[in-house]
Amino acid sequence: MNALEIKNLKKTYIQNADKKVEALKGINFEIKQGEIFGLLGPNGAGKTTLINSITTLEKPTSGDIQVFGTSVLEKPLITKKQIGIVHQEVINTGFFDVLEILDFQSGYYGLANNKTRIEYLVKKLALDTHATKKIKQLSGGMKRRLMIAKALVHSPKLLLLDEPTAGVDVELRESLWAFVRELKNEGISVLLTTHYLEEAEALCDRIGIINKGELIFCGTPREVIAKYSTKKISLKTKDGKQHHFVDSASKELSEILQKNQISFADIIDIQITEGKLEEAFTKVVNL
Amino acid sequence: MITQKIIPMSMVPFFTLVKKEVKRFMKVIVQTVVSPIVSSFLYLLVFGVSLGNSVTLKSGVPYLAFLIPGLMVMGLINNAFQNSSSSIVTSKFSGDLEDIRVAPVTHNQIIWAMGFGGIIRGGMVALITGIVGSLFHLMQRGELLLITHPFWTLYFVITGGLIFAFCGIFVAFLAKTFDQLSAFSTFILLPLTYLGGVFISVENLHPVWQTISHFNPLFYLINGFRFSVLGVSDVDLTTSVIVTLIAVGITYSMAQIALKKGSFNRW
Ligand SMILES: Nc1ncnc2c1ncn2[C@@H]1O[C@H](COP(=O)(O)OP(=O)(O)OP(=O)(O)O)[C@@H](O)[C@H]1O
Ligand SMILES: [Mg+2]
């Protein structure tokens, strides 16, 4: 059983009588249990629409979404319990402090007495010294951490993170990703969106690249790099000549050398720049 | 402290929402409690005392005594409506309504929690208004105004609180702007309360208005409540009880529709 299955998902927003936006045009993919899946795409690609469809904030026009084998559309009360969500936009209620917010959040999930879990999360996310502050008294990074703590109060099995690191400093970003890895080790499946491609490359087991409502690529970061990015080779041969080659990242070094009629024995210096996800991403999105 | 042993898990979201409502309005205590004290004090001073001596009612009830339950029920209605509508609208604004949408909370849990929140806040304001009014009565007429039929007072607090909390849910979920919300208050709620007999007995109205009043559901709520306090009123208790029960049913269905059709998304 997969943690998440998206089946031919379509969503058309009707802005007014003659203006329609096809935000999702038939998306298919799945996330296996315990996997970290990165959904990448430029602004307006449809990432948030997809995530909101999983949490029922948006109603799909057609298609189906299954969370651990249960349809989100048919039995939302069951799937909602298994999902934790960190929205792209931070909530801003002015009335309550961190502990109250986490207490209410637990209550929504049927947990009347969730003190131990709340204390653990508050500590884990370094919010313990801010526990009695209201949201507007928190910094942007603290708010993000609160949103993450909130998403985890009920120990969800599938965590959805919609740009959790937007506007977050380097140090916190690293600690957040370390935390996501820890969650993965606990067996939690993660769907995240981010615009930091290097981090996605390092963190995600698989990625999906979405553009204009279509999923253009789905696979491991290695696969997309091999398919769409380039390998750059600069080398110096015994005769003192400099050579520069650019070839597909999927090609092996020996193959490239052979193609250019250079033998290993002649090389005195070599520099290989492996393809980056960023390059592949740009290419995919501009296909 | 509510523990899991006492409440089944499925009821926890409901109690959480009620707790949140109460905590929320207790944080704006000036708006919820102090301002009704001030306004009912002013109404009593201006109408009850100054006009009170020149207005006599056919039923023989002194105007001050007539006015007090009217003000109580007006406080109940306004605050029940205010509570649910402003709670939902501010939640839409901050985005935390989305948290509820995303969580396994049913529409019924939301509706009844909002209803209870309305009863609690509306009931509190009615009680305070009643106490202030009763003290006024003591100063003016030498005796406290006591409730004649407390059971029926409670009944009308509960049904009145529910009706207007449900109305608040209906309007707040369907409203797309603050304007639409205040339009409902100004153009529908306010005229219905004033024409429903908060300040005047229908017997003093022109016959045309008397007939029209009988189509106003608030007329039955206000007069039913007045009956429970004074023991006399413009309509009989049974009619009031039936009409308010029907109104609870209708407004409940309206709230259900609003949750189905309306938007949880942030503004
Ligand atoms: N409520 C809405 N009504 C109408 N159109 C919408 C609505 N929400 C999103 N859209 C449109 O749907 C498309 C996808 O938007 P979405 O928010 O899913 O993009 P995204 O991939 O999350 O972008 P970003 O990286 O900027 O967050 C965009 O064209 C957007 O304008
Ligand atoms: Mg987005």
Side-chain angles (χ1 to χ4, degrees), chain A residues 124-126 139-146 148 164-179 199:
Chain A
K124 187 83 205 166
L125 288 153
S139 78
M142 293 172 200
K143 283 181 197 161
R144 281 279 162 207
R145 265 142 50 202
L146 172 58
I148 294 169
T165 52
V168 162
D169 70 24
V170 187
E171 199 182 337
L172 177 57
R173 232 159 62 208
E174 276 168 9
S175 72
L176 281 181
W177 294 139
F179 186 47
E199 292 170 353

Side-chain angles (χ1 to χ4, degrees), chain A residues 43-44 46-49 88 162-163 193 195:
Chain A
N43 288 137
K47 304 181 293 294
T48 300
T49 303
Q88 183 171 5
D162 198 355
E163 289 186 40
T193 76
H195 290 291

